[in-house]
Amino acid sequence: MTEKSTTAPSAQSSDADLIGPDRTLLIVDDDGPFLRRLARAMEARGFTVDIAESVAEGIAKAKGNPPKHAVIDLRLGDGSGLDVIEAIRGRRDDTRMIMLTGYGNIATAVNAVKLGAVDYLAKPADADDIFAALVQRQGERVEPPENPMSADRVRWEHIQRVYEMCDRNVSETARRLNMHRRTLQRILAKRAPK
């Protein structure tokens, strides 16, 4: 029993050492249970957590007290998490931001990184993956995925990239891909293949 009590504080203190002196973390997600569970897990690792359930709330909190760390969902009920990234980056340029999404594609990942996110994780991401991404040092290599993308996923990613390049114009995207517009609409309405 004494072993457990001695290892827990040292694990927490080593996590705190990885975080650094500014422990502020803003988590923006419209999935309430996931948001609260992630907030508890990050508090247990030493972060000072603030939460928001919408783009408007996230932007307001970012403008009021810009955090050192942020975990932001891409698709929120009232807009895009990319707007929250822009708001944070406008106030503080050293924030380490992680983009989370259940609708992952390369085009939005590139857009998030261009706006200032340091990583892009697909849901369901667990607290350990998120913590590792938040405290990863610049230049550290990320382990390659165990399961590479399927051919269907590569095709879907290509369609998403062209769609983003065409400013989300379905007709123009269909023309460039030499695809019927209705077929493209059906593909865009589906979730990403595994």
Side-chain angles (χ1 to χ4, degrees), residues 27 29 31-39 100 123-126 130:
I27 304 173
D29 199 312
D31 179 356
F34 173 77
L35 175 65
R36 287 182 283 285
R37 196 169 51 247
L38 181 59
L100 290 180
K123 282 182 172 178
D126 67 1
I130 294 168

Side-chain angles (χ1 to χ4, degrees), residues 173-188:
T173 304
R175 187 186 67 73
R176 287 188 184 192
L177 292 172
N178 197 22
M179 179 182 287
H180 194 275
R181 187 178 54 79
R182 293 243 183 193
T183 303
L184 177 61
Q185 285 175 316
R186 280 194 296 274
I187 292 169
L188 293 172

Side-chain angles (χ1 to χ4, degrees), residues 24-103:
T24 56
L25 170 65
L26 174 63
I27 304 173
V28 184
D29 199 312
D30 58 355
D31 179 356
F34 173 77
L35 175 65
R36 287 182 283 285
R37 196 169 51 247
L38 181 59
R40 280 193 306 270
M42 292 298 135
E43 282 175 344
R45 287 172 171 81
F47 284 103
T48 304
V49 179
D50 196 3
I51 60 172
E53 293 192 46
S54 67
V55 171
E57 189 180 355
I59 290 173
K61 290 189 176 193
K63 287 181 177 178
N65 184 23
K68 172 67 176 161
H69 305 86
V71 177
I72 303 162
D73 189 11
L74 175 64
R75 288 196 184 176
L76 297 161
D78 62 337
S80 172
L82 296 173
D83 297 332
V84 180
I85 288 179
E86 279 185 293
I88 292 171
R89 190 57 71 212
R91 294 286 185 155
R92 185 171 183 171
D93 55 356
D94 68 334
T95 299
R96 293 190 54 82
M97 292 180 275
I98 308 300
M99 179 62 70
L100 290 180
T101 187
Y103 302 89

Side-chain angles (χ1 to χ4, degrees), residues 146-193:
E146 290 181 24
N147 300 321
M149 286 193 282
S150 67
D152 289 335
R153 178 63 186 238
V154 171
R155 175 179 178 258
W156 188 84
E157 292 284 352
H158 175 67
I159 290 169
Q160 290 292 324
R161 185 167 34 94
V162 174
Y163 182 56
E164 289 291 328
M165 285 174 22
C166 294
D167 294 324
R168 300 178 159 260
N169 182 322
V170 176
S171 297
E172 177 63 16
T173 304
R175 187 186 67 73
R176 287 188 184 192
L177 292 172
N178 197 22
M179 179 182 287
H180 194 275
R181 187 178 54 79
R182 293 243 183 193
T183 303
L184 177 61
Q185 285 175 316
R186 280 194 296 274
I187 292 169
L188 293 172
K190 294 180 181 177
R191 285 186 171 258

Side-chain angles (χ1 to χ4, degrees), residues 128-147:
D128 292 332
D129 293 339
I130 294 168
F131 180 78
L134 284 170
V135 299
Q136 181 180 1
R137 300 290 175 234
Q138 196 168 0
E140 279 185 333
R141 293 182 183 249
V142 178
E143 291 292 320
E146 290 181 24
N147 300 321

